[in-house]
């Protein structure tokens, strides 16, 4: 992975190589952490974090669901992130905040172990490749079902839960595919190992609902709004597996992958990215990069607007 200079660790900016934890940290043993994947984009007005407040809100909710009291306020986390990007001199980058139970108690009811918080920001390109974003990827329905609400909390973005995604991703990669699609416990389509899924059927955009054990994706929300604003009908409903094979178009959304068309699923051809996928993708990419006026409110500029103005005044 590409490194940056500094990582924010419990309130301090420490050199990348010094950001370490004890081997008996609770989260290392039991996965007791919650995290976010966030992206920052280089825009005309400098770096801007996409839907920053929504990500921090989800982090706080995930923490609450697993009884991990966040040791910093949402605003402190947001400001630490902006300052980290500034100090690292980054433009476009990936941001990874992680709150986890640290060192001090290895019992399962480990209230004596502190909650630690780190934030990393570093360059990271398109997760499923730029080629995938242009021409689509090949996906496979996993033999592993997505974790269900009876055992864990699909709504939370918790570290230990990603063993489920890792099993599915490993299986599909070893079988020669680029991504895995998981079904929920009931056998309906849920999502990719790290992305939400959309399909186009009879000209309508369809995506699985919350009861299908999806993660409430922030890009899913954004794409639903963008698609509706563009005049498409978006329906949240259960999707049968075979509907994937009958779909006119399929695409995935997620922070790491952004919007990626699917061109083949379980060896059924879907084809090159379709018209609706292309249309929504183009607007979505504009929104991410600060080129869509109507979605500028989704961007948290790393330099305050006054600083941006000052900088442009000085340079002119
Ligand atoms: C399992 C899973 N589903 C869906 C998503 C998409 O969520 P978002 O759009 O908030 O990145 C992610 C990525 O965070 C994920 O890990």
């Amino acid at each position: 992975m590409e490194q940056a200079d500094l990582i924010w660790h419990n309130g301090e900016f420490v050199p990348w190589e010094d950001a370490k934890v004890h081997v008996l940290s609770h989260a290392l043993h039991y996965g007791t952490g919650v995290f976010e994947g966030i992206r920052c984009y280089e825009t005309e007005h400098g770096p801007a974090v996409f839907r920053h407040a929504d990500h921090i809100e989800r982090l706080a909710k995930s923490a609450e669901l697993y009884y991990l009291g966040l040791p910093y306020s949402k605003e402190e986390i947001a400001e630490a992130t902006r300052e980290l990007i500034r100090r690292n001199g980054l433009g476009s980058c990936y941001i990874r905040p992680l709150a986890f139970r640290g060192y001090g108690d290895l019992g399962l009811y480990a209230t004596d172990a502190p909650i630690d918080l780190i934030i990393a920001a570093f360059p990271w390109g398109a997760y499923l490749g730029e080629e995938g974003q242009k021409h689509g990827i090949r996906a496979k329905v996993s033999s592993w079902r997505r974790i269900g609400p009876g055992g864990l909390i699909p709504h939370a973005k918790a570290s230990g839960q990603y063993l489920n995604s890792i099993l599915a991703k490993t299986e599909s990669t070893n079988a020669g595919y680029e991504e895995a699609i998981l079904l929920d416990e009931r056998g309906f389509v849920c999502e990719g190992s790290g992305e939400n899924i959309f399909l186009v059927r009879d000209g309508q955009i369809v995506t699985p609902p919350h009861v299908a054990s999806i993660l409430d994706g922030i890009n899913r929300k954004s794409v639903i709004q963008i698609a509706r604003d563009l005049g498409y009908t978006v329906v949240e409903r259960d999707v049968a597996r075979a509907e994937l094979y009958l779909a006119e178009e399929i695409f995935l959304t997620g922070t790491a992958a952004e919007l990626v068309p699917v061109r083949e699923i379980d060896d059924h051809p879907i084809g090159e990215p379709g018209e609706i996928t292309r249309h929504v993708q183009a607007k979505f990419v504009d929104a991410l990069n600060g080129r869509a006026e109507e979605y500028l409110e989704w961007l948290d500029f790393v330099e305050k607007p006054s600083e941006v103005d000052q900088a442009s005044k000085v340079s002119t």
Side-chain angles (χ1 to χ4, degrees):
M1 67 191 293
E2 216 176 313
Q3 298 187 359
D5 294 339
L6 301 169
I7 286 182
W8 187 93
H9 190 180
N10 290 336
E12 310 281 337
F13 292 92
V14 299
W16 181 278
E17 52 282 359
D18 295 342
K20 293 183 180 151
V21 296
H22 196 278
V23 292
L24 293 179
S25 295
H26 198 267
L28 203 51
H29 297 252
Y30 306 119
T32 40
V34 294
F35 67 99
E36 275 301 312
I38 312 174
R39 273 194 191 273
C40 175
Y41 291 87
E42 184 65 72
T43 74
E44 204 190 330
H45 298 294
V49 183
F50 186 67
R51 303 200 73 159
H52 200 183
D54 295 303
H55 280 285
I56 295 175
E57 186 61 41
R58 189 170 65 185
L59 181 76
K61 284 193 178 136
S62 298
E64 190 194 336
L65 289 167
Y66 280 108
Y67 309 101
L68 301 169
L70 284 184
Y72 295 88
S73 71
K74 292 179 216 166
E75 191 36 53
E76 283 170 330
I77 296 170
E79 182 44 32
T81 304
R82 289 187 293 261
E83 181 61 16
L84 180 68
I85 294 167
R86 289 193 285 263
R87 290 199 191 192
N88 276 334
L90 291 164
S92 292
C93 59
Y94 182 84
I95 302 158
R96 169 55 60 87
L98 166 73
F100 60 99
R101 212 170 265 292
Y103 170 76
D105 184 347
L106 272 187
L108 295 185
Y109 188 72
T111 45
D112 283 347
I115 313 292
D116 290 348
L117 183 65
I118 65 101
I119 308 169
F122 51 92
W124 198 11
Y127 176 58
L128 295 174
E130 283 175 25
E131 197 57 20
Q133 289 182 337
K134 275 196 204 117
H135 297 293
I137 56 151
R138 296 174 64 242
K140 175 181 161 34
V141 172
S142 179
S143 68
W144 296 100
R145 293 281 168 97
R146 164 84 169 152
I147 47 165
L152 281 165
I153 309 174
H155 297 82
K157 198 165 167 65
S159 304
Q161 299 190 169
Y162 276 79
L163 285 173
N164 176 235
S165 291
I166 287 167
L167 282 173
K169 180 81 179 182
T170 304
E171 179 189 59
S172 65
T173 307
N174 288 347
Y177 298 83
E178 283 141 315
E179 190 48 291
I181 306 300
L182 289 85
L183 306 179
D184 69 10
E185 279 182 337
R186 305 165 306 160
F188 291 107
V189 175
C190 175
E191 62 184 11
S193 68
E195 306 86 19
N196 293 109
I197 189 165
F198 291 80
L199 50 157
V200 176
R201 294 214 63 202
D202 302 324
Q204 286 193 341
I205 301 175
V206 180
T207 192
H210 290 269
V211 292
S213 293
I214 61 165
L215 181 73
D216 186 7
I218 287 163
N219 296 279
R220 174 185 182 274
K221 253 196 287 249
S222 309
V223 159
I224 289 175
Q225 185 174 334
I226 288 171
R228 287 187 175 143
D229 290 349
L230 290 173
Y232 297 107
T233 302
V234 183
V235 183
E236 295 179 65
R237 66 155 173 85
D238 278 328
V239 174
R241 175 176 182 168
E243 286 190 88
L244 295 173
Y245 312 148
L246 298 170
E248 292 132 38
E249 304 179 27
I250 302 180
F251 60 87
L252 306 173
T253 63
T255 297
E258 299 171 329
L259 192 156
V260 175
V262 175
R263 66 180 156 85
E264 194 182 299
I265 188 152
D266 286 349
D267 305 324
H268 291 273
I270 305 298
E272 277 284 312
E275 202 181 306
I276 296 178
T277 302
R278 284 275 170 249
H279 195 192
V280 174
Q281 186 185 39
K283 191 51 126 180
F284 175 62
V285 170
D286 281 349
L288 296 178
N289 290 281
R291 296 191 298 259
E293 192 75 29
E294 64 274 44
Y295 305 119
L296 276 183
E297 63 186 29
W298 286 343
L299 294 176
D300 179 25
F301 289 92
V302 169
E303 308 291 345
K304 295 278 164 280
S306 56
E307 293 166 11
V308 172
D309 293 346
Q310 287 302 332
S312 62
K313 265 184 216 143
V314 170
S315 64
T316 48

